[in-house]
């Protein structure tokens, strides 16, 4: 904390960035830190990817900038919710490399500790919870910062359902609630605002679930054609893998999403499977119950490789 305070106090210009393919913890953390520092520093928040519709309610989202809009070499560059520096994208990475000091704040256990100062707590269920601990020691949180941090925590815990949630998580959530945030607004946007296009994509994809291991594992695919036919956006595939995981009897759910000649893999498990071991075969990372990465094969070949990995992982388990 002392070193973080020193970095902050010595910096006049600060650039913030999070990973591509933005999600609730990503944007909540990014905008939470921006909201906290916007009246204290010359601060810029980078977002080079498409914003999910259900997160556009977040305070100060209109102030997000593209990397190419930032023409300075910052005193301090802070990455949020990024397991490695490549996840912020090439353009943002150039600014990161030019910064006088760098800080990496994250909760992924596969984090590579790539910055000058690495504040990484793999036991934290969300980067938003780590930020609360840091920012609340530096001053009072306003309602915008609190809204963003609560969104980050609620999003990455599945509304406090995952086993990564700890006693402190509820304490932090309570403190954020006490600041007067609109819980109903956050809940509706995060969990009750699925678009027609996203619903159509979900229905289309789950029609062809492939069950493995006597129904204990399930693979669902989303192709570029599926996206085109439903009119879905990039972020509309979010939530499909959780839907499949929630099927009774399924321990491991895998979503394969076509991305040109490559395939994005997202995994979720309930109790026994370590998802990082699944995606680790493809240089991915994340958490025990939720992990992802990119497979450098077209989706059909990727599915075959994933099936091999699933078979191997399930051999070691008895449940």
């Amino acid at each position: 904390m002392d070193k973080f305070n020193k970095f902050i106090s010595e910096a006049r210009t600060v650039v913030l960035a999070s990973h591509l393919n933005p999600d609730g913890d990503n944007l909540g953390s990014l905008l939470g830190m921006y909201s906290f520092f916007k009246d204290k520093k010359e601060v810029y928040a980078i977002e080079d990817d498409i914003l999910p519709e259900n997160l556009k309610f977040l305070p100060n989202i209109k102030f997000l900038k593209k990397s190419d809009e930032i023409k300075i070499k910052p005193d301090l560059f802070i990455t949020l919710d990024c397991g490695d520096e490549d996840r912020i994208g090439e353009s943002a990475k150039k600014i990161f490399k030019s910064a006088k000091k760098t800080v990496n704040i994250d909760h992924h256990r596969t984090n590579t500790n790539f910055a000058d100062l690495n504040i990484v707590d793999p036991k934290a269920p969300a980067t938003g919870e780590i930020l609360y601990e840091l920012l609340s020691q530096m001053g009072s949180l306003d309602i915008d910062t609190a809204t963003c941090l609560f969104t980050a925590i609620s999003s990455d815990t599945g509304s406090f359902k995952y086993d990564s949630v700890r006693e402190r998580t509820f304490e932090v959530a309570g403190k954020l609630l006490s600041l007067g945030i609109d819980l109903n607004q956050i809940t509706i946007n995060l969990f009750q605002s699925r678009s027609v296009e996203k619903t159509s994509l979900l229905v289309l994809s789950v029609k062809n679930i492939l069950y493995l291991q006597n129904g204990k594992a399930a693979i669902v695919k989303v192709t570029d054609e599926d996206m085109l036919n439903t009119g879905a956006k990039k972020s509309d595939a979010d939530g499909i893998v959780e839907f499949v995981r929630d099927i009774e009897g399924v321990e491991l759910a895998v979503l394969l999403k076509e991305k040109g000649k490559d395939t994005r893999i997202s995994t979720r498990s309930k109790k026994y499977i370590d998802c990082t071991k699944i995606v680790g075969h493809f240089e991915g990372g994340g958490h025990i119950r939720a992990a992802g990465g990119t497979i450098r094969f077209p989706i059909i070949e990727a599915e075959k490789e994933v099936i091999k990995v699933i078979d191997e992982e399930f051999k070691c388990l008895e449940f």
Side-chain angles (χ1 to χ4, degrees):
M1 190 66 205
D2 289 342
K3 194 169 184 180
F4 182 66
N5 277 331
K6 186 173 186 293
F7 278 20
I8 292 292
S9 64
E10 292 176 350
R12 184 181 65 83
T13 55
V14 181
V15 173
L16 314 173
S18 192
H19 61 76
L20 299 176
N21 298 308
D23 56 31
D25 193 20
N26 164 318
L27 284 176
S29 297
L30 183 66
L31 289 168
M33 182 161 268
Y34 176 85
S35 298
F36 186 82
F37 285 115
K38 67 182 176 68
D39 296 326
K40 303 177 180 72
K41 299 284 180 182
E42 182 183 338
V43 59
Y44 304 91
I46 291 174
E47 184 50 70
D48 285 333
D49 214 336
I50 299 169
L51 298 174
E53 289 295 324
N54 70 326
L55 295 173
K56 289 184 177 180
F57 76 98
L58 286 170
N60 295 309
I61 200 163
K62 65 182 179 181
F63 296 113
L64 291 175
K65 293 187 177 296
K66 300 295 184 185
S67 295
D68 58 13
E69 296 180 72
I70 297 173
K71 307 299 183 183
I72 61 168
K73 292 182 179 180
D75 297 324
L76 182 61
F77 194 116
I78 302 175
T79 65
L80 300 157
D81 202 38
C82 290
D84 61 72
E85 60 190 280
D86 291 331
R87 291 212 67 199
I88 62 177
E90 286 303 315
S91 296
K93 187 177 173 181
K94 290 177 183 176
I95 304 172
F96 176 87
K97 293 290 188 183
S98 75
K100 292 177 183 177
K101 296 288 184 181
T102 57
V103 177
N104 156 35
I105 303 173
D106 187 32
H107 71 128
H108 295 90
R109 67 174 183 164
T110 51
N111 192 285
T112 59
N113 295 303
F114 53 88
D116 297 321
L117 174 61
N118 300 287
I119 304 172
V120 180
D121 179 7
K123 293 183 179 179
T127 298
E129 184 177 314
I130 302 172
L131 278 191
Y132 173 83
E133 305 291 7
L134 292 172
L135 300 181
S136 62
Q137 293 184 58
M138 301 179 75
S140 300
L141 306 187
D142 63 15
I143 195 165
D144 286 351
T145 302
T147 296
C148 292
L149 296 186
F150 189 94
T151 298
I153 297 167
S154 182
S155 175
D156 241 29
T157 59
S159 192
F160 305 93
K161 295 195 301 287
Y162 300 157
D163 62 3
S164 59
V165 173
R166 51 191 180 179
E167 183 179 350
R168 181 59 178 165
T169 309
F170 288 109
E171 291 172 352
V172 169
K175 291 178 182 296
L176 292 171
L177 278 170
S178 72
L179 296 175
I181 64 175
D182 188 338
L183 177 60
N184 194 47
Q185 178 200 37
I186 294 171
T187 301
I188 289 172
N189 279 281
L190 283 185
F191 306 111
Q192 299 169 5
S193 297
R194 188 174 57 234
S195 69
V196 172
E197 293 80 8
K198 183 170 183 172
T199 303
S200 297
L201 183 65
L202 172 64
V203 171
L204 182 62
S205 61
V206 299
K207 282 182 179 178
N208 298 302
I209 296 175
L210 174 64
Y211 291 100
L212 306 165
Q213 300 294 326
N214 296 315
K216 293 185 178 69
I219 296 176
V220 62
K221 298 191 294 293
V222 171
T223 66
D224 291 338
E225 185 178 4
D226 293 337
M227 299 292 289
L228 184 64
N229 289 340
T230 58
K233 299 180 177 68
K234 179 180 176 181
S235 61
D236 285 340
D238 297 344
I240 293 176
V241 68
E242 288 86 358
F243 184 89
V244 175
R245 177 206 55 205
D246 293 347
I247 297 171
E248 184 180 5
V250 171
E251 161 63 19
L252 172 69
V254 177
L255 169 68
L256 298 177
K257 185 175 182 295
E258 191 170 29
K259 190 179 180 183
K261 294 181 179 180
D262 297 332
T263 305
R264 284 289 302 171
I265 178 172
S266 296
T267 59
R268 299 290 186 273
S269 67
K270 287 176 180 169
K271 188 174 182 180
Y272 300 100
I273 292 289
D274 182 343
C275 288
T276 62
K277 290 184 178 180
I278 301 292
V279 303
H281 289 268
F282 311 105
E283 300 182 357
H287 309 286
I288 293 175
R289 300 287 170 247
T294 299
I295 305 173
R296 303 302 178 186
F297 296 124
I299 194 166
I300 300 302
E301 292 179 45
E303 183 180 42
K304 293 176 183 177
E305 295 300 314
V306 169
I307 290 172
K308 292 177 186 177
V309 171
I310 290 173
D311 289 343
E312 195 61 35
E313 289 297 323
F314 271 79
K315 279 182 185 177
C316 306
L317 296 173
E318 292 183 8
F319 60 91

